[in-house]
Amino acid sequence: MRSFFIAIALVAICSCGGVPYFDLRHPIYMVTEQSFWSGCEQDPTGYEACRASRVQQINDGVKQWFDYFGKANHPRAVILYSKNNLPSNRVNEDVIYLKIEAGFCGEGSFACYAYGASSSSYSSPEIVFDNSFTITPRRMAHEFGHVLGRDDNDVPEGTGSVMSYKLPTVVTPLDIEMMCRLHHECRMVKRK
Ligand SMILES: [Zn+2]
């Protein structure tokens, strides 16, 4: 039993060669790859409006998670248009790249969270959308759940969890509870 708790503690405090661990008390950085803007050149609303709208979808997805937290210690996800703008002294060293690549996630998949994928040019985690139309707050909320350590269908179907495949809704209180079990610092930033 004791070793069980030690194992849990290790998972909680380090990424230990597995997927990166993001500390909610410090900003989580996401960097857009050029492909993330593909199609914006032809967008009738204009290039900048197109980019702003995609960023909005991403932010709305993240917001579903972070709106559960108190104002004073609200976790932050920062979107940067270039990795040159990354602060060098950041606590969350891993950076999540946002990109569009048709077929990357497998046939019929609209988006995915990948880390160390052999087909990828990055050793960093990435959120990949199949095309610009698949960039939606709900899909982003799901992929961001993976960033926070959640798995697909890790709660029973019917709970409406954002991680569910069949009937996902939005980020639910159960989703937050599950996520907080994986993040030891969650109790320090959460206020409910
Ligand atoms: Zn998933």
Side-chain angles (χ1 to χ4, degrees):
M1 197 62 176
R2 188 152 169 261
S3 61
F4 172 75
F5 284 117
I6 291 169
I8 295 284
L10 276 176
V11 168
I13 56 174
C14 75
S15 58
C16 295
V19 280
Y21 182 86
F22 293 94
D23 188 326
L24 295 170
R25 292 166 300 181
H26 301 278
I28 297 173
Y29 290 97
M30 295 188 274
V31 172
T32 54
E33 197 202 48
Q34 196 51 39
S35 68
F36 189 69
W37 311 126
S38 61
C40 276
E41 303 83 1
Q42 296 89 32
D43 195 290
T45 61
Y47 186 67
E48 284 311 323
C50 171
R51 296 218 295 184
S53 129
R54 288 185 193 178
V55 166
Q56 183 74 45
Q57 312 292 314
I58 297 297
N59 280 329
D60 285 351
V62 172
K63 203 168 169 305
Q64 286 193 21
W65 289 95
F66 290 172
D67 272 0
Y68 279 94
F69 292 80
K71 266 210 176 72
N73 296 300
H74 204 278
R76 281 205 311 138
V78 179
I79 301 174
L80 299 172
Y81 287 14
S82 163
K83 66 174 192 239
N84 298 333
N85 300 333
L86 283 168
S88 52
N89 59 348
R90 60 191 186 274
V91 171
N92 287 315
E93 282 189 33
D94 283 294
V95 172
I96 303 147
Y97 285 88
L98 300 172
K99 63 183 207 182
I100 293 177
E101 189 176 329
F104 179 94
C105 299
E107 206 175 324
S109 264
F110 296 122
C112 59
Y113 178 62
Y115 177 61
S118 54
S119 53
S120 174
S121 45
Y122 294 114
S123 56
S124 305
E126 36 190 356
I127 292 176
V128 186
F129 295 91
D130 195 66
N131 60 68
S132 63
F133 300 105
T134 64
I135 306 171
T136 66
R138 186 172 66 68
R139 291 205 185 96
M140 181 56 195
H142 176 97
E143 302 314 332
F144 202 70
H146 291 311
V147 169
L148 298 173
R150 294 283 309 277
D151 284 328
D152 286 318
N153 299 308
D154 57 0
V155 284
E157 283 291 352
T159 54
S161 164
V162 77
M163 302 315 290
S164 155
Y165 267 177
K166 277 196 204 134
L167 294 166
T169 56
V170 288
V171 175
T172 64
L174 176 63
D175 283 321
I176 296 294
E177 201 185 306
M178 295 274 297
M179 186 272 286
C180 281
R181 275 184 220 159
L182 304 167
H183 285 256
H184 64 103
E185 77 280 8
C186 200
R187 64 182 181 274
M188 289 174 248
V189 290
K190 194 175 165 209
R191 180 200 53 83
K192 271 277 146 177

